[in-house]
Amino acid sequence: RAIAYFIIRKLFLEARLARAERQTTTRLRLLRRAVMGARHSKHRRGSSAGVADDAGESPPNAPDEKRKHKRGSIRWHSTRREEKEEKQQQRKAKDSVSWSRRRAEEAFAAYQSLQQCFIGPDTVPALCCDLGVSPEDVVVLAFAYHLKAKRMGYFTLEEWLAGCEALQVDSLATLRSKVKVLRQQLEDHATYKEVYRFVGYFEYDPDQKILDLETVDAALELLLGTKPHTPLFRQFLKEQTSYKGMNLDQWMNAFDFVFEVKPDLSNYDTDGAWPVMLDDFVAWCRVNKKVVPADSSSASTGARGAL
């Protein structure tokens, strides 16, 4: 009992001591506030007295001085407000011009496939629709070329960000405005050939090391559909039985063929460096008398003829 009494008394004394310390701290805080308030009041009375003395020394000019001070204060605040608004406008202009990764990620998320980390075949049509282009438009391939996409119909976040930064687009609006630029770039023969080459690598099957004929047919129709040799070449590929596909060399030579060889095949050199597939195509055309007339309106070899 003595020990218990001693412990209880000790706890009681500690509690009283802590309470006393808190009360002391509170009193000191109140005293400090009272002292600061007194100093502030004294300062305000001194300032008021100084103004009164100045007014007493030159009462006729006091209203003018007050008006001048007021006008100066308004002018100062107005200048500061104008400077602040100008900085905000500059910041907004900079944000609208500079590429934003955050906005690009938001644009990607708007078309991201459900529970996937890419834009896939299920959402690409919606993206094309919002851009005002058809999914079969060649400009879509040009966009994929700039994104350096590795799979047909799929855009990963990394590909999207890298391509959008290269094109300096970060939203649907800026991408829509870029469609016209991409289409103009395709009018350059060298650029169009690079996109054509990209599609070949895009569709290339590394296991079989060829482009299957079904894919070749669709790609030729999309990329070279307006060239005079293309319909006949597609027909030849469907009727022949010697080739199950095209390798990349044959794919690129087909591009040069439709641009360099005249519609009537009069300038085709059978002893040239053309692949055997094209020799067989020319022989097939001549045997079946399927040569395009020499006065074909599509005989020009410019890049515009491919679009």
Side-chain angles (χ1 to χ4, degrees):
R1 287 182 181 180
I3 294 173
Y5 175 78
F6 177 76
I7 293 174
I8 293 172
R9 182 173 178 79
K10 181 179 180 182
L11 292 175
F12 176 74
L13 292 175
E14 289 179 352
R16 289 187 61 184
L17 181 62
R19 183 179 178 183
E21 289 179 354
R22 287 196 299 271
Q23 291 177 349
T24 303
T25 303
T26 302
R27 291 185 183 127
L28 289 174
R29 189 182 298 112
L30 293 175
L31 180 61
R32 190 180 299 110
R33 288 181 181 178
V35 172
M36 294 298 294
R39 289 180 180 177
H40 184 66
S41 299
K42 182 178 180 181
H43 177 72
R44 291 182 60 184
R45 286 196 299 272
S47 300
S48 300
V51 171
D53 292 343
D54 292 341
E57 292 176 0
S58 54
N61 297 330
D64 294 338
E65 292 295 332
K66 290 182 180 180
R67 283 195 294 270
K68 288 181 180 179
H69 177 72
K70 186 176 181 180
R71 286 197 299 268
S73 177
I74 294 174
R75 191 180 300 112
W76 182 80
H77 286 291
S78 176
T79 304
R80 289 293 300 272
R81 185 169 58 252
E82 291 174 356
E83 291 177 353
K84 186 176 180 180
E85 291 176 353
E86 183 179 358
K87 288 181 180 178
Q88 290 177 349
Q89 292 176 357
Q90 291 176 354
R91 191 180 300 110
K92 289 181 180 179
K94 184 178 179 180
D95 292 340
S96 63
V97 173
S98 61
W99 183 81
S100 170
R101 180 186 178 92
R102 176 184 57 79
R103 289 197 297 264
E105 289 177 345
E106 291 174 354
F108 178 86
Y111 300 96
Q112 186 174 353
S113 299
L114 293 177
Q115 298 180 350
Q116 300 294 338
C117 57
F118 52 73
I119 296 176
D122 56 331
T123 54
V124 167
L127 172 62
C128 294
C129 180
D130 291 342
L131 292 177
V133 299
S134 168
E136 290 78 24
D137 196 320
V138 68
V139 78
V140 179
L141 295 177
F143 179 59
Y145 163 74
H146 284 284
L147 263 59
K148 295 181 173 58
K150 294 182 175 64
R151 298 173 61 194
M152 175 66 78
Y154 293 86
F155 303 135
T156 65
L157 178 60
E158 292 74 16
E159 293 168 348
W160 178 273
L161 293 176
C164 287
E165 185 175 10
L167 290 171
Q168 285 297 292
V169 297
D170 54 15
S171 64
L172 181 65
T174 54
L175 182 55
R176 189 186 295 115
S177 65
K178 205 73 174 183
V179 169
K180 184 177 180 181
V181 177
L182 293 175
R183 206 177 295 280
Q184 290 174 346
Q185 291 177 354
L186 289 173
E187 296 180 0
D188 177 68
H189 182 82
T191 302
Y192 198 82
K193 187 172 183 178
E194 285 302 312
V195 173
Y196 180 89
R197 186 194 308 275
F198 166 77
V199 173
Y201 284 98
F202 205 49
E203 298 288 356
Y204 185 69
D205 185 347
D207 296 330
Q208 299 183 4
K209 298 183 179 180
I210 59 171
L211 303 167
D212 66 87
L213 293 181
E214 183 179 354
T215 300
V216 168
D217 182 73
L220 288 175
E221 182 182 13
L222 177 61
L223 293 165
L224 303 175
T226 61
K227 300 303 292 180
H229 291 302
T230 302
L232 292 177
F233 188 56
R234 291 174 60 203
Q235 183 181 350
F236 163 75
L237 292 176
K238 292 176 182 178
E239 294 182 4
Q240 59 80 35
T241 57
S242 301
Y243 304 97
K244 296 182 179 180
M246 294 178 66
N247 58 39
L248 293 176
D249 181 64
Q250 293 167 338
W251 172 256
M252 293 309 301
N253 274 275
F255 181 90
D256 296 332
F257 180 91
V258 299
F259 278 98
E260 296 177 10
V261 178
K262 294 181 179 180
D264 62 356
L265 304 175
S266 59
N267 65 332
Y268 182 78
D269 184 7
T270 55
D271 296 327
W274 298 107
V276 178
M277 175 183 282
L278 293 178
D279 289 339
D280 294 341
F281 167 64
V282 172
W284 176 84
C285 288
R286 288 172 176 169
V287 169
N288 294 279
K289 298 182 179 179
K290 293 183 178 292
V291 179
V292 180
D295 60 348
S296 173
S297 60
S298 301
S300 63
T301 60
R304 290 178 180 271
L307 304 182

